[in-house]
Amino acid sequence: SGSWITISPSTEPPPRSRMLRSVPMGLTVLRLLLAPVLVWLVYAGAPGVVFASVVLVAFVSDYFDGVIARTLGVASAELRHFDSRADLVFYATAAWAVWRLHPDVVRSVAIPSLVVVGLDVVRHIFDFAKFGKDVAYHAWSSKVWGLSLALALVVLMGFGINQPFIGITIILGLIAQIEGLLISVALPVWTHDVPTLIHALRIRNAPAGRVAGDGK
């Protein structure tokens, strides 16, 4: 017979494309896996430069996972939320490592550090009460705080220098936590990737139906 069989092109992305799209998730998972590496380094008595190198790798992965995700168009709410949780696990572990290796530094900044942690707890409670889940704003103030935190950890763990970097980091942490809480107060619905409080206020004042994120 003279009939033709038409084969529809596959809608599956090619293997190379799938691999590229998995890079942001891989970088985030790498940062998560570096947390137990820090624990091992503490008990192994590794030199400070090794700690500094691990922190530096974590920071680079934190920067590029978001950049690559946005470039490839895979910056979903789920991925960004996982990114925030990986940050929390890694930097909480790094704080524990500092406490074990430099207890004098921890004692010197204990009160302001506890204020930053307390604000973070308040934010989580408020976010769950208002939105029913955690948030992932990735605000610019948080990014600056993350940069200063990574720098402070590198110079402290690698070279034993704590000031003025630790003090600056705490101040930036207070600013980031306060702005994050104010963003949650301003937003009418759950929204991810909100750069500043000004953006949150614009979302709040936007016409109905134009709010980005999962809370449409």
Side-chain angles (χ1 to χ4, degrees), residues 60-80:
V60 171
S61 76
D62 189 21
Y63 176 79
F64 281 105
D65 63 359
V67 171
I68 296 174
R70 289 188 294 273
T71 301
L72 298 177
V74 295
S76 64
E78 292 76 15
L79 179 61
R80 303 299 281 159

mmCIF file with all atom_site columns, all heavy atoms in Angstrom, residues 60-80:
data_model
loop_
_atom_site.group_PDB
_atom_site.id
_atom_site.type_symbol
_atom_site.label_atom_id
_atom_site.label_alt_id
_atom_site.label_comp_id
_atom_site.label_asym_id
_atom_site.label_entity_id
_atom_site.label_seq_id
_atom_site.pdbx_PDB_ins_code
_atom_site.Cartn_x
_atom_site.Cartn_y
_atom_site.Cartn_z
_atom_site.occupancy
_atom_site.B_iso_or_equiv
_atom_site.pdbx_formal_charge
_atom_site.auth_seq_id
_atom_site.auth_comp_id
_atom_site.auth_asym_id
_atom_site.auth_atom_id
_atom_site.pdbx_PDB_model_num
ATOM 1   N N   . VAL A 1 60 ? 30.709 29.464 45.846 1.00 0.00 ? 60 VAL A N   1
ATOM 2   C CA  . VAL A 1 60 ? 30.690 29.465 44.382 1.00 0.00 ? 60 VAL A CA  1
ATOM 3   C C   . VAL A 1 60 ? 29.498 28.663 43.868 1.00 0.00 ? 60 VAL A C   1
ATOM 4   O O   . VAL A 1 60 ? 28.814 29.076 42.925 1.00 0.00 ? 60 VAL A O   1
ATOM 5   C CB  . VAL A 1 60 ? 32.012 28.893 43.830 1.00 0.00 ? 60 VAL A CB  1
ATOM 6   C CG1 . VAL A 1 60 ? 31.927 28.683 42.318 1.00 0.00 ? 60 VAL A CG1 1
ATOM 7   C CG2 . VAL A 1 60 ? 33.167 29.840 44.162 1.00 0.00 ? 60 VAL A CG2 1
ATOM 8   N N   . SER A 1 61 ? 29.226 27.515 44.483 1.00 0.00 ? 61 SER A N   1
ATOM 9   C CA  . SER A 1 61 ? 28.073 26.708 44.061 1.00 0.00 ? 61 SER A CA  1
ATOM 10  C C   . SER A 1 61 ? 26.773 27.450 44.319 1.00 0.00 ? 61 SER A C   1
ATOM 11  O O   . SER A 1 61 ? 25.830 27.380 43.520 1.00 0.00 ? 61 SER A O   1
ATOM 12  C CB  . SER A 1 61 ? 28.078 25.369 44.800 1.00 0.00 ? 61 SER A CB  1
ATOM 13  O OG  . SER A 1 61 ? 27.641 25.514 46.149 1.00 0.00 ? 61 SER A OG  1
ATOM 14  N N   . ASP A 1 62 ? 26.722 28.203 45.423 1.00 0.00 ? 62 ASP A N   1
ATOM 15  C CA  . ASP A 1 62 ? 25.521 28.961 45.760 1.00 0.00 ? 62 ASP A CA  1
ATOM 16  C C   . ASP A 1 62 ? 25.272 30.069 44.744 1.00 0.00 ? 62 ASP A C   1
ATOM 17  O O   . ASP A 1 62 ? 24.131 30.365 44.392 1.00 0.00 ? 62 ASP A O   1
ATOM 18  C CB  . ASP A 1 62 ? 25.667 29.552 47.166 1.00 0.00 ? 62 ASP A CB  1
ATOM 19  C CG  . ASP A 1 62 ? 24.382 30.172 47.672 1.00 0.00 ? 62 ASP A CG  1
ATOM 20  O OD1 . ASP A 1 62 ? 23.303 29.822 47.149 1.00 0.00 ? 62 ASP A OD1 1
ATOM 21  O OD2 . ASP A 1 62 ? 24.448 31.014 48.577 1.00 0.00 ? 62 ASP A OD2 1
ATOM 22  N N   . TYR A 1 63 ? 26.344 30.679 44.275 1.00 0.00 ? 63 TYR A N   1
ATOM 23  C CA  . TYR A 1 63 ? 26.199 31.758 43.285 1.00 0.00 ? 63 TYR A CA  1
ATOM 24  C C   . TYR A 1 63 ? 25.767 31.208 41.929 1.00 0.00 ? 63 TYR A C   1
ATOM 25  O O   . TYR A 1 63 ? 24.813 31.696 41.313 1.00 0.00 ? 63 TYR A O   1
ATOM 26  C CB  . TYR A 1 63 ? 27.516 32.512 43.154 1.00 0.00 ? 63 TYR A CB  1
ATOM 27  C CG  . TYR A 1 63 ? 27.494 33.576 42.076 1.00 0.00 ? 63 TYR A CG  1
ATOM 28  C CD1 . TYR A 1 63 ? 26.888 34.809 42.303 1.00 0.00 ? 63 TYR A CD1 1
ATOM 29  C CD2 . TYR A 1 63 ? 28.062 33.338 40.826 1.00 0.00 ? 63 TYR A CD2 1
ATOM 30  C CE1 . TYR A 1 63 ? 26.850 35.781 41.318 1.00 0.00 ? 63 TYR A CE1 1
ATOM 31  C CE2 . TYR A 1 63 ? 28.029 34.309 39.838 1.00 0.00 ? 63 TYR A CE2 1
ATOM 32  C CZ  . TYR A 1 63 ? 27.419 35.520 40.086 1.00 0.00 ? 63 TYR A CZ  1
ATOM 33  O OH  . TYR A 1 63 ? 27.376 36.472 39.108 1.00 0.00 ? 63 TYR A OH  1
ATOM 34  N N   . PHE A 1 64 ? 26.451 30.170 41.480 1.00 0.00 ? 64 PHE A N   1
ATOM 35  C CA  . PHE A 1 64 ? 26.226 29.708 40.112 1.00 0.00 ? 64 PHE A CA  1
ATOM 36  C C   . PHE A 1 64 ? 24.974 28.854 39.955 1.00 0.00 ? 64 PHE A C   1
ATOM 37  O O   . PHE A 1 64 ? 24.452 28.758 38.835 1.00 0.00 ? 64 PHE A O   1
ATOM 38  C CB  . PHE A 1 64 ? 27.452 28.950 39.605 1.00 0.00 ? 64 PHE A CB  1
ATOM 39  C CG  . PHE A 1 64 ? 28.556 29.854 39.155 1.00 0.00 ? 64 PHE A CG  1
ATOM 40  C CD1 . PHE A 1 64 ? 29.692 30.032 39.936 1.00 0.00 ? 64 PHE A CD1 1
ATOM 41  C CD2 . PHE A 1 64 ? 28.466 30.549 37.961 1.00 0.00 ? 64 PHE A CD2 1
ATOM 42  C CE1 . PHE A 1 64 ? 30.706 30.876 39.531 1.00 0.00 ? 64 PHE A CE1 1
ATOM 43  C CE2 . PHE A 1 64 ? 29.474 31.401 37.548 1.00 0.00 ? 64 PHE A CE2 1
ATOM 44  C CZ  . PHE A 1 64 ? 30.608 31.566 38.327 1.00 0.00 ? 64 PHE A CZ  1
ATOM 45  N N   . ASP A 1 65 ? 24.474 28.229 41.025 1.00 0.00 ? 65 ASP A N   1
ATOM 46  C CA  . ASP A 1 65 ? 23.256 27.431 40.832 1.00 0.00 ? 65 ASP A CA  1
ATOM 47  C C   . ASP A 1 65 ? 22.084 28.327 40.432 1.00 0.00 ? 65 ASP A C   1
ATOM 48  O O   . ASP A 1 65 ? 21.296 27.983 39.545 1.00 0.00 ? 65 ASP A O   1
ATOM 49  C CB  . ASP A 1 65 ? 22.927 26.574 42.060 1.00 0.00 ? 65 ASP A CB  1
ATOM 50  C CG  . ASP A 1 65 ? 22.626 27.384 43.310 1.00 0.00 ? 65 ASP A CG  1
ATOM 51  O OD1 . ASP A 1 65 ? 22.690 28.632 43.260 1.00 0.00 ? 65 ASP A OD1 1
ATOM 52  O OD2 . ASP A 1 65 ? 22.364 26.774 44.360 1.00 0.00 ? 65 ASP A OD2 1
ATOM 53  N N   . GLY A 1 66 ? 21.993 29.513 41.047 1.00 0.00 ? 66 GLY A N   1
ATOM 54  C CA  . GLY A 1 66 ? 20.918 30.432 40.679 1.00 0.00 ? 66 GLY A CA  1
ATOM 55  C C   . GLY A 1 66 ? 21.121 31.044 39.304 1.00 0.00 ? 66 GLY A C   1
ATOM 56  O O   . GLY A 1 66 ? 20.171 31.154 38.518 1.00 0.00 ? 66 GLY A O   1
ATOM 57  N N   . VAL A 1 67 ? 22.359 31.425 39.001 1.00 0.00 ? 67 VAL A N   1
ATOM 58  C CA  . VAL A 1 67 ? 22.658 32.029 37.695 1.00 0.00 ? 67 VAL A CA  1
ATOM 59  C C   . VAL A 1 67 ? 22.348 31.044 36.573 1.00 0.00 ? 67 VAL A C   1
ATOM 60  O O   . VAL A 1 67 ? 21.686 31.389 35.573 1.00 0.00 ? 67 VAL A O   1
ATOM 61  C CB  . VAL A 1 67 ? 24.135 32.463 37.629 1.00 0.00 ? 67 VAL A CB  1
ATOM 62  C CG1 . VAL A 1 67 ? 24.499 32.882 36.211 1.00 0.00 ? 67 VAL A CG1 1
ATOM 63  C CG2 . VAL A 1 67 ? 24.406 33.606 38.602 1.00 0.00 ? 67 VAL A CG2 1
ATOM 64  N N   . ILE A 1 68 ? 22.802 29.806 36.722 1.00 0.00 ? 68 ILE A N   1
ATOM 65  C CA  . ILE A 1 68 ? 22.588 28.800 35.680 1.00 0.00 ? 68 ILE A CA  1
ATOM 66  C C   . ILE A 1 68 ? 21.103 28.440 35.570 1.00 0.00 ? 68 ILE A C   1
ATOM 67  O O   . ILE A 1 68 ? 20.577 28.266 34.468 1.00 0.00 ? 68 ILE A O   1
ATOM 68  C CB  . ILE A 1 68 ? 23.436 27.550 35.962 1.00 0.00 ? 68 ILE A CB  1
ATOM 69  C CG1 . ILE A 1 68 ? 24.926 27.911 35.887 1.00 0.00 ? 68 ILE A CG1 1
ATOM 70  C CG2 . ILE A 1 68 ? 23.115 26.433 34.973 1.00 0.00 ? 68 ILE A CG2 1
ATOM 71  C CD1 . ILE A 1 68 ? 25.858 26.785 36.282 1.00 0.00 ? 68 ILE A CD1 1
ATOM 72  N N   . ALA A 1 69 ? 20.422 28.351 36.722 1.00 0.00 ? 69 ALA A N   1
ATOM 73  C CA  . ALA A 1 69 ? 18.994 28.013 36.700 1.00 0.00 ? 69 ALA A CA  1
ATOM 74  C C   . ALA A 1 69 ? 18.199 29.063 35.944 1.00 0.00 ? 69 ALA A C   1
ATOM 75  O O   . ALA A 1 69 ? 17.308 28.739 35.140 1.00 0.00 ? 69 ALA A O   1
ATOM 76  C CB  . ALA A 1 69 ? 18.468 27.861 38.129 1.00 0.00 ? 69 ALA A CB  1
ATOM 77  N N   . ARG A 1 70 ? 18.507 30.346 36.164 1.00 0.00 ? 70 ARG A N   1
ATOM 78  C CA  . ARG A 1 70 ? 17.793 31.409 35.456 1.00 0.00 ? 70 ARG A CA  1
ATOM 79  C C   . ARG A 1 70 ? 18.148 31.412 33.967 1.00 0.00 ? 70 ARG A C   1
ATOM 80  O O   . ARG A 1 70 ? 17.284 31.639 33.119 1.00 0.00 ? 70 ARG A O   1
ATOM 81  C CB  . ARG A 1 70 ? 18.105 32.765 36.096 1.00 0.00 ? 70 ARG A CB  1
ATOM 82  C CG  . ARG A 1 70 ? 17.468 32.958 37.457 1.00 0.00 ? 70 ARG A CG  1
ATOM 83  C CD  . ARG A 1 70 ? 17.641 34.386 37.950 1.00 0.00 ? 70 ARG A CD  1
ATOM 84  N NE  . ARG A 1 70 ? 19.040 34.703 38.215 1.00 0.00 ? 70 ARG A NE  1
ATOM 85  C CZ  . ARG A 1 70 ? 19.642 34.472 39.377 1.00 0.00 ? 70 ARG A CZ  1
ATOM 86  N NH1 . ARG A 1 70 ? 18.971 33.911 40.370 1.00 0.00 ? 70 ARG A NH1 1
ATOM 87  N NH2 . ARG A 1 70 ? 20.917 34.819 39.551 1.00 0.00 ? 70 ARG A NH2 1
ATOM 88  N N   . THR A 1 71 ? 19.407 31.127 33.656 1.00 0.00 ? 71 THR A N   1
ATOM 89  C CA  . THR A 1 71 ? 19.835 31.096 32.257 1.00 0.00 ? 71 THR A CA  1
ATOM 90  C C   . THR A 1 71 ? 19.136 29.981 31.487 1.00 0.00 ? 71 THR A C   1
ATOM 91  O O   . THR A 1 71 ? 18.732 30.161 30.328 1.00 0.00 ? 71 THR A O   1
ATOM 92  C CB  . THR A 1 71 ? 21.362 30.908 32.166 1.00 0.00 ? 71 THR A CB  1
ATOM 93  O OG1 . THR A 1 71 ? 22.003 31.986 32.852 1.00 0.00 ? 71 THR A OG1 1
ATOM 94  C CG2 . THR A 1 71 ? 21.820 30.892 30.724 1.00 0.00 ? 71 THR A CG2 1
ATOM 95  N N   . LEU A 1 72 ? 18.976 28.820 32.133 1.00 0.00 ? 72 LEU A N   1
ATOM 96  C CA  . LEU A 1 72 ? 18.353 27.673 31.478 1.00 0.00 ? 72 LEU A CA  1
ATOM 97  C C   . LEU A 1 72 ? 16.835 27.663 31.614 1.00 0.00 ? 72 LEU A C   1
ATOM 98  O O   . LEU A 1 72 ? 16.170 26.801 31.037 1.00 0.00 ? 72 LEU A O   1
ATOM 99  C CB  . LEU A 1 72 ? 18.922 26.370 32.062 1.00 0.00 ? 72 LEU A CB  1
ATOM 100 C CG  . LEU A 1 72 ? 20.422 26.142 31.880 1.00 0.00 ? 72 LEU A CG  1
ATOM 101 C CD1 . LEU A 1 72 ? 20.845 24.861 32.574 1.00 0.00 ? 72 LEU A CD1 1
ATOM 102 C CD2 . LEU A 1 72 ? 20.781 26.089 30.404 1.00 0.00 ? 72 LEU A CD2 1
ATOM 103 N N   . GLY A 1 73 ? 16.295 28.620 32.383 1.00 0.00 ? 73 GLY A N   1
ATOM 104 C CA  . GLY A 1 73 ? 14.845 28.677 32.560 1.00 0.00 ? 73 GLY A CA  1
ATOM 105 C C   . GLY A 1 73 ? 14.285 27.586 33.449 1.00 0.00 ? 73 GLY A C   1
ATOM 106 O O   . GLY A 1 73 ? 13.147 27.152 33.263 1.00 0.00 ? 73 GLY A O   1
ATOM 107 N N   . VAL A 1 74 ? 15.073 27.109 34.412 1.00 0.00 ? 74 VAL A N   1
ATOM 108 C CA  . VAL A 1 74 ? 14.611 26.046 35.308 1.00 0.00 ? 74 VAL A CA  1
ATOM 109 C C   . VAL A 1 74 ? 14.542 26.517 36.763 1.00 0.00 ? 74 VAL A C   1
ATOM 110 O O   . VAL A 1 74 ? 14.531 25.697 37.683 1.00 0.00 ? 74 VAL A O   1
ATOM 111 C CB  . VAL A 1 74 ? 15.526 24.805 35.202 1.00 0.00 ? 74 VAL A CB  1
ATOM 112 C CG1 . VAL A 1 74 ? 15.438 24.195 33.815 1.00 0.00 ? 74 VAL A CG1 1
ATOM 113 C CG2 . VAL A 1 74 ? 16.980 25.155 35.553 1.00 0.00 ? 74 VAL A CG2 1
ATOM 114 N N   . ALA A 1 75 ? 14.499 27.839 36.957 1.00 0.00 ? 75 ALA A N   1
ATOM 115 C CA  . ALA A 1 75 ? 14.472 28.382 38.324 1.00 0.00 ? 75 ALA A CA  1
ATOM 116 C C   . ALA A 1 75 ? 13.066 28.285 38.897 1.00 0.00 ? 75 ALA A C   1
ATOM 117 O O   . ALA A 1 75 ? 12.378 29.279 39.097 1.00 0.00 ? 75 ALA A O   1
ATOM 118 C CB  . ALA A 1 75 ? 14.952 29.829 38.318 1.00 0.00 ? 75 ALA A CB  1
ATOM 119 N N   . SER A 1 76 ? 12.635 27.056 39.165 1.00 0.00 ? 76 SER A N   1
ATOM 120 C CA  . SER A 1 76 ? 11.295 26.824 39.702 1.00 0.00 ? 76 SER A CA  1
ATOM 121 C C   . SER A 1 76 ? 11.241 27.164 41.181 1.00 0.00 ? 76 SER A C   1
ATOM 122 O O   . SER A 1 76 ? 12.275 27.288 41.854 1.00 0.00 ? 76 SER A O   1
ATOM 123 C CB  . SER A 1 76 ? 10.894 25.358 39.507 1.00 0.00 ? 76 SER A CB  1
ATOM 124 O OG  . SER A 1 76 ? 11.753 24.516 40.262 1.00 0.00 ? 76 SER A OG  1
ATOM 125 N N   . ALA A 1 77 ? 10.030 27.299 41.691 1.00 0.00 ? 77 ALA A N   1
ATOM 126 C CA  . ALA A 1 77 ? 9.856  27.584 43.112 1.00 0.00 ? 77 ALA A CA  1
ATOM 127 C C   . ALA A 1 77 ? 10.427 26.456 43.965 1.00 0.00 ? 77 ALA A C   1
ATOM 128 O O   . ALA A 1 77 ? 11.036 26.700 45.011 1.00 0.00 ? 77 ALA A O   1
ATOM 129 C CB  . ALA A 1 77 ? 8.371  27.781 43.420 1.00 0.00 ? 77 ALA A CB  1
ATOM 130 N N   . GLU A 1 78 ? 10.274 25.205 43.508 1.00 0.00 ? 78 GLU A N   1
ATOM 131 C CA  . GLU A 1 78 ? 10.780 24.065 44.272 1.00 0.00 ? 78 GLU A CA  1
ATOM 132 C C   . GLU A 1 78 ? 12.307 24.084 44.347 1.00 0.00 ? 78 GLU A C   1
ATOM 133 O O   . GLU A 1 78 ? 12.888 23.845 45.407 1.00 0.00 ? 78 GLU A O   1
ATOM 134 C CB  . GLU A 1 78 ? 10.310 22.750 43.631 1.00 0.00 ? 78 GLU A CB  1
ATOM 135 C CG  . GLU A 1 78 ? 8.823  22.490 43.725 1.00 0.00 ? 78 GLU A CG  1
ATOM 136 C CD  . GLU A 1 78 ? 8.019  23.324 42.737 1.00 0.00 ? 78 GLU A CD  1
ATOM 137 O OE1 . GLU A 1 78 ? 8.640  23.895 41.785 1.00 0.00 ? 78 GLU A OE1 1
ATOM 138 O OE2 . GLU A 1 78 ? 6.800  23.422 42.903 1.00 0.00 ? 78 GLU A OE2 1
ATOM 139 N N   . LEU A 1 79 ? 12.949 24.396 43.207 1.00 0.00 ? 79 LEU A N   1
ATOM 140 C CA  . LEU A 1 79 ? 14.410 24.442 43.194 1.00 0.00 ? 79 LEU A CA  1
ATOM 141 C C   . LEU A 1 79 ? 14.928 25.576 44.064 1.00 0.00 ? 79 LEU A C   1
ATOM 142 O O   . LEU A 1 79 ? 15.890 25.402 44.826 1.00 0.00 ? 79 LEU A O   1
ATOM 143 C CB  . LEU A 1 79 ? 14.917 24.621 41.754 1.00 0.00 ? 79 LEU A CB  1
ATOM 144 C CG  . LEU A 1 79 ? 16.443 24.720 41.583 1.00 0.00 ? 79 LEU A CG  1
ATOM 145 C CD1 . LEU A 1 79 ? 17.123 23.450 42.083 1.00 0.00 ? 79 LEU A CD1 1
ATOM 146 C CD2 . LEU A 1 79 ? 16.800 24.981 40.122 1.00 0.00 ? 79 LEU A CD2 1
ATOM 147 N N   . ARG A 1 80 ? 14.309 26.738 43.993 1.00 0.00 ? 80 ARG A N   1
ATOM 148 C CA  . ARG A 1 80 ? 14.757 27.881 44.781 1.00 0.00 ? 80 ARG A CA  1
ATOM 149 C C   . ARG A 1 80 ? 14.550 27.619 46.276 1.00 0.00 ? 80 ARG A C   1
ATOM 150 O O   . ARG A 1 80 ? 15.342 28.039 47.112 1.00 0.00 ? 80 ARG A O   1
ATOM 151 C CB  . ARG A 1 80 ? 14.012 29.147 44.343 1.00 0.00 ? 80 ARG A CB  1
ATOM 152 C CG  . ARG A 1 80 ? 14.164 29.460 42.877 1.00 0.00 ? 80 ARG A CG  1
ATOM 153 C CD  . ARG A 1 80 ? 15.615 29.686 42.507 1.00 0.00 ? 80 ARG A CD  1
ATOM 154 N NE  . ARG A 1 80 ? 16.064 31.016 42.878 1.00 0.00 ? 80 ARG A NE  1
ATOM 155 C CZ  . ARG A 1 80 ? 17.331 31.348 43.055 1.00 0.00 ? 80 ARG A CZ  1
ATOM 156 N NH1 . ARG A 1 80 ? 18.278 30.432 42.947 1.00 0.00 ? 80 ARG A NH1 1
ATOM 157 N NH2 . ARG A 1 80 ? 17.655 32.583 43.365 1.00 0.00 ? 80 ARG A NH2 1
#
